[in-house]
Amino acid sequence: MTTGVGTDRLDAVVIGGGPAGLFAAWRLATGGARVALVEAGGGMRDSLCPRVTARMRGQQVRPAEKFRLQCNRCDCLTGLGGAAFHFDTNLGYIRGLSRSKIENDGAGGYRAYSGLERALGDFDRAADAVADVYRLMYGFGLPPTAPESPESPALPVSDARTSGAPAPVAGFALADEALSQAITVDDAIGMVDALTAEAREHGLRLLLGRRVEDVTRGPEGDWHVRVAGSPEPPLRAANVVVAVGKLGLAWVRDVLRRNGVAHRPSRRVDVGIRLETGREEAAPLTASCHNPKFTFLNELGEPVRTFCVCEGGRIMQYAFDDTTVLDGQHCLTTPTDRTNFGIVTTVDVPEDTDGTEHALDFARRVTKLGGGLPVVQPLLELLGGARLSERPAHSLIHSADDDLASALGPRRVADIAGMVERLEAVAPGLAGPRTVVAAPVVEKLYPSIELSSELESSAPGLYFAGDCSSKIIGVTYGAATGLVAADAILAPRGSR
């Protein structure tokens, strides 16, 4: 049961009920703060995909029907738990934080880094924050992962505390197989239920099905949070934690402009494709790790990397801005016979270019080619081979079959070719006739917001956590930033 908006002054309002918002609201409430959490969607059970709820009721979908029943575009990305927990997913590292990304160091080499480390300003602090997230998740009912099998082959893991990387594997500058943990929707529901129940016992005001229209500072210095469609006055609070996901991009950009928050256009964005092949062909990549990360630098010094490996999963699509983009879906409970993963390039956009628009233009080019749909093409054709007479199966039903090279451009095609060539040494047969590429994929779209190591913006009392912070993406990283922002609000300002 939700409560009304009301007019009492709060210590904080949290906007968005994904991992960042949930953990921020819990920490604030259990820390004694008067806090409200506003979520545009409903409760987690109310906003789950109908296919998921059918499976939870025991109405299993026959394997032959699994893909035919897909929605054209997913609209289950709002609701308590956020997009992350609405599907089986992968939480990230549990053995310890790793510097799993690399960048050109400007001197002919590269450096490894962690996005969370950079966001919080210190590696140990970031590692402790991730450990805190897992400790809490286990306390809320997340089943601990099974121990690693000693028989599982393993590739080198990057040294967490150095800027270097292990010896290259098959031509990669970085090969990282740090142990991660998966979670099913069933377990996520129990965990979110336990977290919200405890927070509400400590006074959390949970406002579901309420979309925040505006966030502005009032003349008295408090923040005013206006909820769309509410006849009551705006919520008043000393602090606001903005924790909306990717779909909140346009709204966040407006909030930044209206409040004069220091930010600049993003100079780096991730653009690319998802590669899908048979589960057997991809098995060597996932034999010892749910989500291996492989990276190399292309001729321009841009990192090209794999991400979000979905073993036995499928590709999903959703509406974003005025286009359609793709993501990977883990299917842990009802696995498929396919595996997919992203191949993206971190592009340094020109000085006079807005990175957000650069990425969106990339997505628009692809979907324009597909007549409004994502485009799928056999990998061998994209890499210059003759058209295959037999079209390989894939998990996207509502898609177009066309020549992606014209929309991706020669540089991105070269990056895909370079990644596939290197992966072939790890998983021979990956570049076979059953393998397809699907586009567009875009990540890290938010403007670069000037934030302190506590995630506070240049507007005192206004914090940004999770995806919209522009610093990180991911479930555990998002939850960690929510805890950091909450701790900063709970601490006396003079002690920060």
Side-chain angles (χ1 to χ4, degrees):
M1 179 178 178
T2 60
T3 60
V5 175
T7 59
D8 295 339
R9 184 181 188 272
L10 300 166
D11 295 306
V13 172
V14 179
I15 304 171
L22 281 172
F23 277 80
W26 174 86
R27 182 79 99 199
L28 287 162
T30 57
R34 293 164 298 177
V35 58
L37 171 60
V38 188
E39 163 57 43
M44 190 166 173
R45 288 175 177 80
D46 298 331
S47 52
L48 286 175
C49 172
R51 311 303 176 202
V52 174
T53 53
R55 189 262 303 163
M56 292 175 67
R57 291 195 303 267
Q59 301 174 13
Q60 295 286 345
V61 178
R62 293 188 300 112
E65 299 293 311
K66 233 174 245 177
F67 299 122
R68 189 170 66 80
L69 292 175
Q70 284 184 58
C71 302
N72 187 1
R73 292 179 178 177
C74 183
D75 59 0
C76 303
L77 301 181
T78 60
L80 207 62
F85 289 138
H86 279 66
F87 305 95
D88 296 343
T89 191
N90 193 295
L91 295 174
Y93 299 134
I94 57 174
R95 184 164 52 196
L97 191 65
S98 178
R99 290 189 171 116
S100 62
K101 293 183 173 61
I102 63 172
E103 64 186 2
N104 192 328
D105 66 2
Y110 61 89
R111 66 176 67 89
Y113 68 95
S114 158
L116 187 63
E117 172 190 13
R118 286 187 170 175
L120 303 186
D122 180 81
F123 185 91
D124 289 335
R125 184 181 182 217
D128 288 345
V130 171
D132 195 15
V133 169
Y134 272 109
R135 178 183 62 81
L136 292 171
M137 285 185 174
Y138 292 139
F140 292 133
L142 172 67
T145 189
E148 268 188 301
S149 168
E151 290 81 24
S152 297
L155 296 174
V157 176
S158 62
D159 185 345
R161 297 177 185 278
T162 71
S163 60
V169 175
F172 293 103
L174 183 86
D176 187 348
E177 285 205 330
L179 184 64
S180 58
Q181 175 158 350
I183 181 173
T184 65
V185 174
D186 306 65
D187 290 332
I189 288 176
M191 189 177 70
V192 170
D193 282 350
L195 183 154
T196 53
E198 185 171 321
R200 294 184 75 177
E201 287 174 3
H202 285 81
L204 172 68
R205 295 168 59 183
L206 183 58
L207 308 178
L208 298 178
R210 310 289 188 90
R211 188 174 297 278
V212 172
E213 199 169 75
D214 199 7
V215 177
T216 55
R217 189 183 291 282
E220 76 288 352
D222 285 341
W223 289 99
H224 292 195
V225 178
R226 188 168 69 247
V227 179
S230 172
E232 301 179 53
L235 293 163
R236 285 197 307 120
N239 303 278
V240 172
V241 179
V242 179
V244 300
K246 186 186 294 183
L247 295 183
L249 172 63
W251 179 81
V252 169
R253 293 171 86 180
D254 286 341
V255 168
L256 295 174
R257 286 192 292 265
R258 284 196 298 270
N259 291 284
V261 176
H263 69 285
R264 58 177 174 79
S266 174
R267 293 294 316 285
R268 284 183 169 181
V269 291
D270 287 349
V271 297
I273 57 98
R274 292 200 75 84
L275 182 147
E276 184 177 78
T277 190
R279 194 172 182 180
E280 291 183 5
E281 283 86 340
L285 299 179
T286 57
S288 60
C289 173
H290 288 125
N291 187 23
K293 296 178 174 65
F294 299 92
T295 313
F296 70 93
L297 298 180
N298 65 17
E299 292 182 355
L300 297 179
E302 298 167 328
V304 183
R305 63 187 177 90
T306 63
F307 83 107
C308 186
V309 178
C310 299
E311 180 185 10
R314 72 176 182 91
I315 304 173
M316 63 176 288
Q317 59 181 293
Y318 59 95
F320 184 77
D321 200 76
D322 58 355
T323 185
T324 298
V325 296
L326 302 179
D327 207 339
Q329 181 181 330
H330 300 268
C331 300
L332 304 174
T333 310
T334 54
T336 73
D337 62 355
R338 300 178 178 91
T339 291
N340 73 85
F341 54 89
I343 298 177
V344 295
T345 303
T346 301
V347 177
D348 292 313
V349 301
E351 287 281 354
D352 58 348
T353 303
D354 184 319
T356 300
E357 293 305 315
H358 179 89
L360 289 175
D361 285 344
F362 172 86
R364 291 166 185 146
R365 283 200 308 274
V366 175
T367 52
K368 182 179 180 181
L369 175 69
L373 295 173
V375 179
V376 180
Q377 184 179 17
L379 172 67
L380 294 179
E381 288 184 9
L382 177 69
L383 300 185
R387 180 175 174 82
L388 302 180
S389 57
E390 184 175 347
R391 314 311 285 169
H394 56 82
S395 61
L396 276 174
I397 297 301
H398 301 280
S399 61
D401 183 338
D402 213 319
D403 182 7
L404 270 170
S406 60
L408 297 179
R411 286 182 179 174
R412 299 296 77 83
V413 173
D415 291 343
I416 296 166
M419 177 62 74
V420 169
E421 180 182 1
R422 290 166 171 82
L423 289 178
E424 269 285 311
V426 179
L430 187 75
R434 296 182 62 193
T435 303
V436 300
V437 293
V441 172
V442 292
E443 297 287 347
K444 298 182 180 176
L445 291 167
Y446 272 97
S448 180
I449 308 172
E450 184 178 302
L451 299 177
S452 73
S453 60
E454 313 297 332
L455 289 310
E456 188 174 21
S457 72
S458 62
L462 182 60
Y463 296 77
F464 291 83
D467 281 13
C468 71
S469 70
S470 75
K471 310 303 178 189
I472 56 94
I473 57 175
V475 180
T476 49
Y477 282 16
T481 59
L483 293 175
V484 166
D487 286 340
I489 292 169
L490 291 170
R493 181 163 288 274
S495 68
R496 297 180 195 175

